[in-house]
């Protein structure tokens, strides 16, 4: 089978298409014929050499978390999946034995990690991590869901977003940002989003964004958000200077969930504003398999359609990462082997 392997950690030019043996499932595993695999900032960080998870000793490395396709084979002991099933993978890799795996939520696992290997013709996965797809949910749409939409949904749950709330999403045109808008709309919440590009904001407005702010300047954003009104929650997938911005726009007792560091790994915040305003900053990583099942149900029910910007054949995986690096896309980029 073909895989899009990271042969060098140098960015998009480090992707090579190579042949590997077709995998065979061990006990508890399944082999999925990959029909679609979305890429994420997590994959790009690895490819750029900006992840502690992978170094040059691990090369060639096959990334790709968000797998959707058809089960081709199953190993011994598998009861929840069989060849021919259309599925999407929950990429959580958990130990199953720590207190958080026992008591939940599973994404608090003390040994939490993620599946990698979806940028290939076939992927060998844990069968109990497969979520069945209804007939009216396509595999390309399904591949968009696990990382971006599961992350955004869990963040909305962490900030207790509800109908009528105002949710602010800086950097709203990326995968998590677009997912946050669509899922907030599904909940009946109102959204405020920012971007540097008017055309990209126009697209997200067509997906449900209520208030668009064309700016990357925190002072300008702060002023324009104030014109909208008090913010109940913030989805912060950027980090850096946007953490203090998020605190600034929150109402008293407001909540901000943080899931990323695209704008910087460290943030300086005004501590008195935090405690005097009774504001909460909450870390959030991915979500649970139950979250993914809920989101698949939303799509099946027609609540929203995942936003796919461009699809790429496996041979053009490097071009997909170049597009992500250029930050010109809105929504998800998907590789379709």
């Amino acid at each position: 089978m073909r895989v899009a392997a990271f042969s060098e950690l140098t960015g998009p030019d480090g992707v090579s298409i190579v042949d590997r043996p077709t995998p065979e499932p061990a006990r508890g595993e399944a082999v999925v014929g990959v029909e679609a695999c979305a890429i994420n900032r997590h994959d790009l960080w690895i490819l750029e050499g900006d992840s502690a998870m992978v170094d040059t000793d691990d090369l060639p490395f096959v990334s790709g978390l968000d797998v959707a396709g058809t089960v081709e084979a199953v190993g011994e002991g598998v009861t929840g999946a069989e060849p021919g099933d259309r599925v999407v993978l929950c990429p959580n890799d958990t130990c199953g034995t720590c207190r958080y795996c026992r008591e939940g939520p599973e994404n608090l696992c003390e040994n939490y990690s993620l599946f990698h290997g979806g940028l290939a013709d076939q992927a060998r996965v844990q069968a109990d991590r497969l979520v069945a797809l209804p007939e009216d949910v396509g595999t390309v749409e399904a591949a968009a869901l696990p990382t971006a939409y599961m992350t955004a949904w869990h963040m909305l749950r962490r900030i207790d977003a509800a109908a009528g709330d105002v949710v602010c999403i800086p950097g709203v045109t990326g995968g998590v940002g677009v997912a946050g808008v669509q899922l907030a709309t599904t909940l009946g919440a109102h959204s405020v989003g920012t971007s540097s590009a008017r055309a990209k904001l126009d697209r997200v407005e067509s997906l449900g964004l209520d208030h668009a702010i064309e700016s990357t300047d925190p002072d300008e954003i702060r002023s324009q958000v104030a014109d909208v009104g008090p913010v109940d929650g913030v989805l912060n997938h950027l980090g850096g200077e946007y953490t203090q911005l998020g605190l600034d726009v929150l109402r008293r007792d407001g909540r901000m969930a943080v899931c990323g560091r695209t704008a910087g790994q460290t943030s300086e915040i005004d501590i008195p504003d935090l405690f005097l305003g009774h504001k909460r900053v909450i870390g959030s990583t991915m979500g649970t398999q139950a979250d993914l099942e809920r989101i698949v149900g939303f799509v099946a029910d027609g609540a929203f359609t995942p936003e796919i910007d461009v699809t790429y054949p496996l041979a053009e995986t490097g071009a997909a990462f170049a597009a992500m690096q250029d930050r010109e896309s809105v929504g998800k980029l998907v590789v379709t082997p």
Side-chain angles (χ1 to χ4, degrees), residues 140 203 307-312 320 323 329-335:
V140 173
R203 282 185 60 183
E307 183 68 4
I308 311 297
D309 192 82
V310 184
T311 62
Y312 296 83
S329 57
V330 174
K332 297 299 295 178
L333 302 171
V334 180
V335 174

Side-chain angles (χ1 to χ4, degrees), residues 34 49 54 103 107 115 159 209-210 258 292 304 309:
V34 180
V54 178
E103 301 172 7
N107 57 330
F115 168 84
I159 65 171
L209 178 65
D210 296 294
V258 183
L292 180 57
F304 67 89
D309 192 82

Side-chain angles (χ1 to χ4, degrees), residues 88-102:
V88 62
L89 177 70
C90 176
N92 290 348
D93 184 1
T94 56
C95 69
T97 58
C98 73
R99 60 171 290 194
Y100 299 105
C101 286
R102 295 193 307 269

Side-chain angles (χ1 to χ4, degrees), residues 221-240:
I221 293 170
R222 188 180 297 110
S223 174
Q224 293 196 43
V225 173
D227 292 338
V228 174
V231 169
D232 300 285
V234 173
L235 303 188
N236 178 4
H237 64 95
L238 298 177

Side-chain angles (χ1 to χ4, degrees), residues 289-314:
Q289 190 157 330
D291 290 334
L292 180 57
E293 292 168 354
R294 180 76 180 275
I295 296 164
V296 169
F298 284 148
V299 177
D301 292 341
F304 67 89
T305 299
E307 183 68 4
I308 311 297
D309 192 82
V310 184
T311 62
Y312 296 83
L314 188 69

Side-chain angles (χ1 to χ4, degrees), residues 67-334:
V67 173
T70 302
V71 176
E72 295 185 349
V74 298
E76 293 182 9
V78 173
T79 58
E82 59 184 33
D85 287 352
R86 297 172 62 255
V87 294
V88 62
L89 177 70
C90 176
N92 290 348
D93 184 1
T94 56
C95 69
T97 58
C98 73
R99 60 171 290 194
Y100 299 105
C101 286
R102 295 193 307 269
E103 301 172 7
E106 66 185 61
N107 57 330
L108 282 177
C109 172
E110 294 173 353
N111 302 292
Y112 184 82
S113 187
L114 293 165
F115 168 84
H116 298 89
L119 293 171
D121 287 321
Q122 286 94 21
R124 188 176 66 185
V125 304
Q126 290 297 313
D128 60 3
R129 285 294 181 192
L130 294 173
V131 174
L133 292 178
E135 289 185 6
D136 50 358
V137 179
T139 50
V140 173
E141 291 74 23
L145 300 176
T147 298
Y149 286 80
M150 191 164 72
T151 295
W153 177 249
H154 198 74
M155 293 173 81
L156 287 165
R157 293 178 61 211
R158 296 279 278 160
I159 65 171
D160 298 323
D165 282 355
V166 176
V167 178
C168 182
I169 311 173
V172 76
T173 58
V176 172
V178 170
V181 167
Q182 292 184 290
L183 290 166
T185 301
T186 298
L187 289 172
H190 306 289
S191 54
V192 183
T194 75
S195 173
S196 61
R198 181 69 250 179
K200 294 166 71 175
L201 284 169
D202 289 343
R203 282 185 60 183
V204 186
E205 283 184 304
S206 73
L207 300 172
L209 178 65
D210 296 294
H211 304 279
I213 298 173
E214 184 184 351
S215 179
T216 58
D217 178 72
D219 291 333
E220 185 175 352
I221 293 170
R222 188 180 297 110
S223 174
Q224 293 196 43
V225 173
D227 292 338
V228 174
V231 169
D232 300 285
V234 173
L235 303 188
N236 178 4
H237 64 95
L238 298 177
E241 61 185 347
Y242 292 92
T243 304
Q244 182 59 54
L245 170 64
L247 286 170
D248 289 340
V249 302
L250 278 176
R251 64 163 171 81
R252 293 180 66 80
D253 199 33
R255 303 163 299 279
M256 173 168 54
V258 183
C259 77
R261 43 106 173 165
T262 304
Q265 295 193 58
T266 60
S267 300
E268 291 187 5
I269 64 172
D270 182 347
I271 297 298
D273 176 49
L274 177 69
F275 66 76
L276 291 172
H278 299 265
K279 299 175 182 181
R280 284 169 276 178
V281 180
I282 307 162
S284 186
T285 297
M286 294 290 283
T288 67
Q289 190 157 330
D291 290 334
L292 180 57
E293 292 168 354
R294 180 76 180 275
I295 296 164
V296 169
F298 284 148
V299 177
D301 292 341
F304 67 89
T305 299
E307 183 68 4
I308 311 297
D309 192 82
V310 184
T311 62
Y312 296 83
L314 188 69
E316 297 178 14
T317 299
F321 282 111
M324 178 173 283
Q325 225 176 28
D326 290 342
R327 301 179 186 273
E328 294 300 322
S329 57
V330 174
K332 297 299 295 178
L333 302 171
V334 180

